[in-house]
Amino acid sequence: MEETTLRLIERVKGGDRDAFAALVDLYKDGAFLVAFRVLRDRMEAEDATQEAFIRVYTKIDTYNAQWKFRTWLYRIVTNVSIDRLRKKQPDYSLDAEMSGTEGLTLYSQLESKDKLPEQQAVESEQRSEVEQAIAMLPEKYRVPLVLKYVEDLSLKEISEMTDLPVATVKTRIHRGREALKKQFVKR
């Protein structure tokens, strides 16, 4: 995939808009998930993803091929998302309780074709609890945890994306996990 990506980037640098559309198509889902995990709001995440791709298009000449494109893109998405977090708190999220229901969230209503309703309910509740716990963490712990365990990025990639030393990333991930443990022990 990296070779395909590098070829597309070269074409984008040459002004090929179709190549940029193909690049967006390859990475839009991952970029959206990063933004969503940071922002916890679908519309904000969509806007952040779009803004990040605009930045990618305007800054494509600054891309250094020694880095993975995904890492470079996710760093931009993360920075845009953090900027949005600082400007505005989310108005709603999929984890917010739906009015007129007993504890049901929009997230718990998402359809899964592979699982039984009972499995969905248990997994949804567990996921909701974990996401709520992660959402309660300070940003400096939440972002590295999401990038490590949700996006499955390496410590080096997270370090490059957040402009933090690898040791600091490790520390924040560790402290974030410890904070999560404390939250679940209290329950």
Side-chain angles (χ1 to χ4, degrees):
M1 180 136 118
E2 278 299 311
E3 289 180 31
T4 303
T5 300
L6 291 175
R7 276 190 251 120
L8 287 172
I9 290 170
E10 287 307 312
R11 288 177 44 203
V12 170
K13 287 180 178 180
D16 186 344
R17 289 185 180 183
D18 291 334
F20 184 70
L23 200 61
V24 169
D25 197 44
L26 278 174
Y27 291 96
K28 66 182 178 190
D29 294 335
F32 171 78
L33 287 174
V34 169
F36 182 76
R37 296 292 182 187
V38 172
L39 292 166
R40 313 218 9 95
D41 180 287
R42 184 177 220 44
M43 289 175 37
E44 283 289 323
E46 288 171 356
D47 290 345
T49 304
Q50 184 175 12
E51 184 178 336
F53 276 113
I54 290 169
R55 287 190 190 178
V56 166
Y57 187 76
T58 60
K59 306 269 188 206
I60 196 75
D61 290 331
T62 66
Y63 171 69
N64 185 342
Q66 77 182 26
W67 299 333
K68 286 184 178 180
F69 178 76
R70 182 177 80 153
T71 303
W72 186 68
L73 169 65
Y74 286 7
R75 179 177 182 176
I76 292 170
V77 172
T78 301
N79 289 341
V80 167
S81 298
I82 289 171
D83 288 346
R84 285 178 166 273
L85 263 182
R86 290 179 179 152
K87 291 178 185 173
K88 178 186 177 211
Q89 291 294 335
D91 294 334
Y92 65 91
S93 87
L94 291 177
D95 292 322
E97 187 174 325
M98 295 171 21
S99 62
T101 65
E102 294 180 20
L104 289 179
T105 64
L106 291 173
Y107 195 80
S108 69
Q109 300 304 303
L110 294 178
E111 180 180 355
S112 173
K113 296 175 184 166
D114 299 335
K115 304 208 166 123
L116 297 172
E118 296 84 16
Q119 291 171 317
Q120 284 179 314
V122 169
E123 288 178 10
S124 177
E125 186 176 320
Q126 291 170 342
R127 190 175 317 130
S128 179
E129 288 177 11
V130 170
E131 287 181 356
Q132 286 174 358
I134 289 173
M136 293 174 62
L137 292 175
E139 177 185 311
K140 68 181 185 178
Y141 300 137
R142 183 176 64 241
V143 170
L145 278 174
V146 166
L147 295 175
K148 175 70 177 156
Y149 295 110
V150 176
E151 296 305 321
D152 199 29
L153 297 178
S154 70
L155 294 174
K156 183 179 179 190
E157 289 173 317
I158 297 169
S159 170
E160 290 170 0
M161 288 173 60
T162 57
D163 252 352
L164 295 170
V166 172
T168 303
V169 171
K170 282 182 182 179
T171 300
R172 289 188 177 180
I173 289 172
H174 175 74
R175 289 181 180 165
R177 285 192 333 233
E178 291 300 313
L180 284 175
K181 284 180 191 176
K182 287 179 184 175
Q183 285 184 34
F184 283 103
V185 167
K186 289 179 184 178
R187 293 179 182 191

